[in-house]
Amino acid sequence: MYGHMLANARTMPPSFPQFWARGEGACAWDVDDNRYVDFLCAFGPMLLGHRNPLVDEAAARQAALGDTLSGPSPRMVELAELLTSTIPHADWAMFAKNGTDATSTAVRIARVATGRTKLLKAAVAYHGANDWFTPRSAGVTPQDRANIVEFAYNDVASLEAAAAAHDGDVAAIIVAPFRHDSFVAQEPVDPAFARAVRALATRIGAVLILDEVRSGFRLDVRGAWEGLGVRPDMTAFSKALANGYAISALVGADALRESASEVYVTGSFWYSAVPMAAAIATVRHAVEVDAPALIREPGERFKAGLEAQGERHGLPVSLTGPVQMPLLVFADDPERTTAFAFTDAAVRRGVLLHPWHNMFLSTAHTVEVVDEVLALTDEAFAETATALRAAS
Amino acid sequence: MYGHMLANARTMPPSFPQFWARGEGACAWDVDDNRYVDFLCAFGPMLLGHRNPLVDEAAARQAALGDTLSGPSPRMVELAELLTSTIPHADWAMFAKNGTDATSTAVRIARVATGRTKLLKAAVAYHGANDWFTPRSAGVTPQDRANIVEFAYNDVASLEAAAAAHDGDVAAIIVAPFRHDSFVAQEPVDPAFARAVRALATRIGAVLILDEVRSGFRLDVRGAWEGLGVRPDMTAFSKALANGYAISALVGADALRESASEVYVTGSFWYSAVPMAAAIATVRHAVEVDAPALIREPGERFKAGLEAQGERHGLPVSLTGPVQMPLLVFADDPERTTAFAFTDAAVRRGVLLHPWHNMFLSTAHTVEVVDEVLALTDEAFAETATALRAAS
C-alpha cells in the first residue's frame, strides 16, 4: 500500500485520476488528457510549479555532464553551503533520497550524540515510513516500536510527562513545525509549546529534530520556527527541496557534526548530481522570491474564497493550517461524506483537491489561477449541496 | 559516514579522486579534469556506461512531459510489465528509491504473509543500511537487531541450525546470489546451498528473498539463480535498474501479492516517471543485448590480464567473484598494503580500481577498453613491486 494512494472506492473519490500524463506550472493532465489545476503538487515537491524552467535547465546542464558518478560532484558542496547559509541553525548538511532517510538518520545521530535510546514523538504524527514511524503496523514487530514514546502535540504537560517517564534515556524529540495529521484539522504550533520543546530538550540533554519534510521552503526558507526564535538541533527536508527531483537533506548544528560522521548511512543514488543541481536552483529561487510569502496571498484568497462559498451553499468548510498547505475540513462531516462529494465534483471540473490530506500550493498558483479555480469550485459546491439534499 | 566513502587516509588510497566532474561511457573525469577508466561504475548503477544515449533520451522524453506528478504515470505499469515478463518468478512489482527500501519492504511483506518475526541472513552480508541491516552499530538499539538471526553463507548446516533455533517463527530468509562481502574474496554460491535455501524456506513456510540490489542485470537478466533452477519468492533490485537514475524495485510471486498490498510504504518520489522511463530503456536494452553475456568476455580478459600481470611482477592477485563485478584480493596481504599501493598506482595512471570493495564493469567496458587498461595496470604493478621491495 503506497502512502500516496491510488484511487479506489475506499480511499479516494471516484473521479480522482489514477494515472498522470504530464504537468506544467500549476496544472497537470491525466492520461485521458483532462486538465486539472493541481492542488496536490505531487504531495509537496512542486514548490515552483511543474517543470519549472529554471530548475529543469539547471538539472539538464548537470545531466549533460553526469548524474550518478563514483562519488559526489561539486554540486554537493555548493548545495551544503547554500543550505547552511540559508538556514541559521544549520552548520552542516548531508543528503539522501527519501524524507524517511533524513528523519531516521537524525534519530540515529541523536542516539550516538547522547548515548541514549528513546525517541519522543507526537501521537499520530507522521515522520516517515520506516518501522519506527510507519502509521500502519502490518509487518512491523513490537521491537521496532520499543523505543518510541508519544506525547500530545501542543501539550506541554504531556511532553514533560513523556520525558519524565524515561528520565535519562531520551535521545531525541522529533516534532513537525505544525500539526499536520491526515483526516483532522491542521493546527498551528502554540509558540509556547515550541519554546517548551526547545527548553526541555536543552534541559535534559536531548536532541531536538524538526521534521520539515512536508513544510520545508513553504513556510519560511530559514526554517519554519525561525520566526518564533526557536532553533532545532537538526532539521529534515525533502519534498520541495529540488522541485520534484529525488533528494532529501538533513542539516544540523556543529555540536552534532562528529556524531553525524559516525553513523553509517548509504544509498546507491545519494551522490547523484542532477537532483543536487535542481535543489540549488530551487532553493536559490525560493529565497530570491521568498516563495512562502509569494504563495501567501493566493493561498489566503483560496482559503477565503472556498470558505465563503461553503458558507453560501450551506456546506461550511474550513481550510485549516498554513494557507500554503491547507487541509479541508467540513463541518459535521465525521464520515467525510461531504468532503468526498465536494472534492469529487471539483475534480470533475478540473480542480484537483484532496478530501483528507493537506494540499499544497506552489508559486505557479497565482491569484489569477485561484480566481479561475474559485469559479469552478462554486459550481462544485452547488452540485454537492443539491446532491446531499436529495440524498437526505 | 557514507557507505560509498569519500577518500581519506584510513579508507582509500591517497590518489583516489574525491569529487567528480563528468562521465561518458566507460570513463569519468574528476574535478581536475583527470580522465579515468571507471571500474566502479558509481558502485554499480552504470550498467550501460555513463550517460548512455538510449537511456538518457528515454529519460529526456519523459522529463518533457513530467517527472514527479500527483500520482504514477503509465511508465509505472509498463515497467512492472517489463519486469514481470523478464523475470520468471515475478508476478508483481513495486518501486521505491533505495535498495534498502526494497529489501526492508520485502521483510515486512514476509512478516505479514507468515505472521512471524525472525529474519535469517548470512553473517556479515550487507542487505541495506537501515537499523536491522547497517554494518555499523552507531546509533542502533539492541531492539533494532532483535529479530535478525545469522547463518554462514554456503553452509547448509548453519542455515538449518539458525532455522531450527527459531522453529515456527522464521518469516524470511534473505540472501545474496553470491557472497560479496567487502574486504574478503567473493565466493560463488554453491548450487547445493541455493537449492537447500529454497527447500528449507518451502519446508518451514518462510519467504525466500533474493537480494539482487548489487548484482541485478549483471549476472542474468532473468534473475541470478534462474540458471540454477532456483526461484526466490521476492527479489530486490536497484543500482543498475535504470543505469544511474534513482529507483529500486521489489518483485514477487503471486502468493505474496495480497501481503504486499497490506504493507504501508511511501516516499515523496516513488512515483517519479523519469527514472521509470530510464529503467524501461535500460532493462529492454540489457535484455536485447544480453548485458551479462556481453560483459563476460571483457570481464574475463580483465581478470586474466590482471592475474597474469600480478604473477609476472611477483604480486599474485585474484579477481574473485563474477567477472562482471570482480573484487581484487592480493596474496599475503592481510593489511591490504599491496592492494592500496597497487590501486593507488593504477588510479594515478587513470584506472579507477577499488582496494577492498567489488568493482563493476559495464557494457561500455569493451575488450579494447580492457586492453588499454591492461597496459596501464602493467606499469602500476611494476611501480608497486619496486616500491614494496624498497620498503621491505
Side-chain angles (χ1 to χ4, degrees), chain A residues 1-6 16-24 27-29 31 38-43 45-46 50-51 56 62-77 93-101 104 107-109 111-112 116-118 126 128-132 134-136 138-144 146-147 213 238-240 243-248 260-272 352, chain B residues 1-6 16-24 27-29 31 38-43 45-46 50-51 56 62-77 93-101 104 107-109 111-112 116-118 126 128-132 134-136 138-144 146-147 213 238-240 243-248 260-272 352:
Chain A
M1 172 186 291
Y2 288 113
H4 304 161
M5 290 173 195
L6 298 182
F16 195 87
Q18 186 90 263
F19 289 99
W20 293 92
R22 61 196 172 95
E24 189 173 349
C27 293
W29 287 258
V31 288
D38 181 0
F39 283 90
L40 294 191
C41 288
F43 288 85
M46 311 318 299
H50 291 291
R51 294 201 292 118
D56 286 0
Q62 181 59 45
L65 298 171
D67 183 12
T68 302
L69 293 158
S70 294
S73 79
R75 301 300 87 72
M76 190 165 89
V77 179
M94 53 195 292
F95 303 103
K97 290 290 121 180
N98 302 312
T100 301
D101 299 336
S104 56
V107 175
R108 229 190 272 173
I109 291 171
R111 287 182 174 143
V112 170
R116 306 174 185 173
T117 56
K118 298 296 178 199
Y126 180 80
N130 74 4
D131 294 300
W132 317 331
T134 179
R136 288 171 184 259
V140 173
T141 69
Q143 288 85 356
D144 292 319
N147 291 307
V213 169
S238 182
K239 292 183 175 285
N243 206 52
Y245 291 81
I247 188 167
S248 63
S261 74
E262 283 175 40
V263 165
Y264 181 96
V265 288
T266 198
S268 300
F269 311 105
W270 288 16
Y271 287 154
S272 296
L352 191 74
Chain B
M1 172 186 289
Y2 289 114
H4 304 160
M5 289 172 197
L6 299 181
F16 195 86
Q18 187 88 263
F19 290 99
W20 293 91
R22 61 196 172 94
E24 190 174 349
C27 294
W29 286 258
V31 287
D38 182 0
F39 283 91
L40 295 190
C41 290
F43 286 87
M46 310 319 298
H50 291 290
R51 295 201 291 117
D56 286 359
Q62 181 59 44
L65 298 171
D67 182 12
T68 303
L69 293 157
S70 293
S73 79
R75 300 301 86 71
M76 190 165 89
V77 180
M94 53 194 293
F95 303 102
K97 290 288 123 180
N98 302 311
T100 301
D101 300 335
S104 55
V107 175
R108 230 189 271 172
I109 292 170
R111 286 182 174 143
V112 170
R116 307 174 185 172
T117 57
K118 299 296 178 197
Y126 180 81
N130 75 4
D131 294 299
W132 317 332
T134 179
R136 288 172 185 257
V140 173
T141 68
Q143 287 85 356
D144 292 319
N147 292 307
V213 170
S238 182
K239 291 185 174 286
N243 205 52
Y245 291 80
I247 190 168
S248 63
S261 73
E262 284 175 40
V263 165
Y264 181 96
V265 288
T266 198
S268 300
F269 312 106
W270 288 16
Y271 287 155
S272 296
L352 191 73

Side-chain angles (χ1 to χ4, degrees), chain A residues 16 83-84 124 161 178 180 212 230 256 273 294 301 313 322 356 391:
Chain A
F16 195 87
L83 292 179
T84 56
V124 184
F178 66 98
H180 53 50
E212 285 228 58
V230 176
L256 294 166
L294 196 64
R301 197 175 182 95
H313 290 281
W356 51 261

Side-chain angles (χ1 to χ4, degrees), chain B residues 20-21 58 93 105 122 146 236 241 269 297 300 310 358:
Chain B
W20 293 91
T105 299
L241 178 58
F269 312 106
E297 190 193 340
E300 282 168 356
N358 82 273

Side-chain angles (χ1 to χ4, degrees), chain B residues 28 99 101 198 202 218 253 372:
Chain B
D101 300 335
R198 175 68 276 176
T202 304
R218 268 194 175 80
E372 175 201 327

